[in-house]
Amino acid sequence: MENITIDLNRGKNLFSIIEDLSQIDTSKDTKFTFEYTCGNYVENNGYLLLSCFINQMRHDNPNRIVDILLDTDSDCKAVQYASRIDFFKSLNIDFIENFKRKPNDGRFIEIMNLPPMYGFPYELRSVFKDKFNFSYDDTEDLVFLIGEVISNTKMHAETKLGSYLYCQKFKNYLEVIAVDSGVGVQKSFQKIYPNITNEEAIKKTIIFGEGDGNGRGQGLYFVSEFMRRNDSEFLLISGDKNIEIRNGNTYISSNENWKGTFLRLKINLTLNVTVNTLLAEKGM
């Protein structure tokens, strides 16, 4: 059995966790040890990556042993937070909560696994409107954005595991994270462009009308353009490349390999441009 230690202390950010996971031989029986130091909080990105990666290992070979050990004190606030957002539940870890579970009203939506044929979780509409206190128009824009993200996985990821979704409201922005372990952007585009590189493919994800006419490119175009015009942040990782929109500018960078796609939206809560405006510009 291969022993893998995942250090979940401060400084272990999104890309360093991807680097750790990219080096794991997923064909072997594996024992994961999650190490925490009390007082350190992990970026939510990492929890979704781990849930998706480990559950994909289990799905690929149900006979493979994939054990998980928590190397920490259960009274640790960081561990309690991980439990509160249902990280341990997502991995079927039996964790006894020795704290009072407070309601998530107006703060976050626990980690959700959306099966591949699952549509938009419409319960989010009432959460955004009634618990996050978003206006009707802002709620409908958010429903559209998240719906496009979910549809992208449903149509193109080719994964039976589906995707993992998490939302958290901060003072000035809403963070939405969606992760899947599907075929990735490059392989999806290779059905139409057989020789396309990963960098070329990831650039095409935010260009309107690219793809096979079944929606590829249009959804992420509207998502990315909404983020750009509303001074928000967009990050898409697939394979060994990522595309990021910050301060209205687009950046392409390299990273260790993530087999599927990782998408993070940091949505500015002061919205100046609506989805309807973007759709109207394209005659839709």
Side-chain angles (χ1 to χ4, degrees):
M1 177 176 288
E2 187 170 16
N3 294 302
I4 302 293
T5 298
I6 303 292
D7 182 355
L8 294 176
N9 292 307
R10 189 181 302 278
K12 207 64 174 177
N13 62 22
L14 165 66
F15 290 104
S16 60
I17 289 179
I18 289 177
E19 182 177 1
D20 287 346
L21 296 178
S22 70
Q23 299 175 37
I24 295 174
D25 184 347
T26 59
S27 67
K28 296 181 179 179
D29 291 345
T30 305
K31 179 180 180 180
F32 288 92
T33 300
F34 294 160
E35 286 188 347
Y36 284 90
T37 297
C38 289
N40 290 338
Y41 284 82
V42 182
E43 292 182 5
N44 297 327
N45 314 300
Y47 290 129
L48 268 76
L49 286 166
L50 289 165
S51 293
C52 189
F53 184 89
I54 293 172
N55 283 322
Q56 186 66 55
M57 286 183 66
R58 289 169 167 166
H59 182 273
D60 288 344
N61 184 353
N63 296 320
R64 181 187 300 125
I65 298 173
V66 181
D67 290 335
I68 301 173
L69 171 69
L70 290 177
D71 184 13
T72 189
D73 183 348
S74 63
D75 291 329
C76 175
K77 295 294 184 182
V79 175
Q80 292 179 0
Y81 174 78
S83 182
R84 181 62 192 85
I85 66 172
D86 287 348
F87 171 58
F88 301 135
K89 180 180 178 181
S90 74
L91 289 169
N92 295 317
I93 298 174
D94 291 327
F95 180 81
I96 299 174
E97 294 185 346
N98 57 359
F99 61 91
K100 184 177 180 180
R101 179 175 271 242
K102 296 180 181 179
N104 62 3
D105 292 10
R107 298 184 298 142
F108 59 86
I109 299 168
E110 292 89 346
I111 294 173
M112 304 172 66
N113 175 223
L114 305 178
M117 298 310 294
Y118 191 85
F120 180 81
Y122 281 98
E123 62 268 26
L124 292 186
R125 177 180 272 116
S126 61
V127 171
F128 291 151
K129 185 174 181 295
D130 300 331
K131 295 185 178 181
F132 285 6
N133 295 318
F134 293 146
S135 69
Y136 173 83
D137 290 340
D138 288 352
T139 295
E140 291 307 300
D141 280 349
L142 293 171
V143 167
F144 176 89
L145 295 177
I146 297 174
E148 291 297 329
V149 170
I150 293 170
S151 294
N152 197 62
T153 296
K154 182 177 177 180
M155 294 173 66
H156 310 303
E158 299 179 27
T159 171
K160 294 182 179 179
L161 187 63
S163 59
Y164 286 83
L165 181 72
Y166 179 77
C167 303
Q168 183 166 354
K169 182 184 178 186
F170 295 88
K171 182 178 180 180
N172 298 316
Y173 67 92
L174 176 71
E175 183 176 59
V176 178
I177 304 171
V179 185
D180 71 67
S181 52
V183 299
V185 167
Q186 182 181 14
K187 189 170 181 180
S188 181
F189 270 103
Q190 282 177 338
K191 298 171 185 175
I192 307 101
Y193 307 103
N195 298 317
I196 196 170
T197 67
N198 192 37
E199 182 169 341
E200 291 169 341
I202 209 165
K203 287 179 179 177
K204 284 184 178 294
T205 61
I206 62 171
I207 298 175
F208 180 79
E210 281 290 353
D212 59 4
N214 291 324
R216 185 183 289 111
Q218 293 187 8
L220 287 185
Y221 164 79
F222 287 120
V223 173
S224 63
E225 196 63 16
F226 181 91
M227 302 299 286
R228 186 192 310 277
R229 297 204 207 174
N230 283 300
D231 194 26
S232 301
E233 296 182 15
F234 171 101
L235 173 65
L236 172 66
I237 302 171
S238 186
D240 61 355
K241 299 293 179 184
N242 67 82
I243 185 166
E244 185 174 10
I245 296 173
R246 281 183 287 108
N247 301 319
N249 299 313
T250 303
Y251 305 91
I252 304 289
S253 303
S254 298
N255 50 262
E256 295 296 331
N257 186 66
W258 175 256
K259 178 177 174 287
T261 59
F262 170 97
L263 181 63
R264 181 180 67 201
L265 309 177
K266 289 188 175 182
I267 306 169
N268 186 346
L269 295 182
T270 302
L271 300 177
N272 301 310
V273 177
T274 67
V275 167
N276 283 338
T277 299
L278 300 178
L279 292 172
E281 289 176 358
K282 296 298 183 183
M284 302 175 70

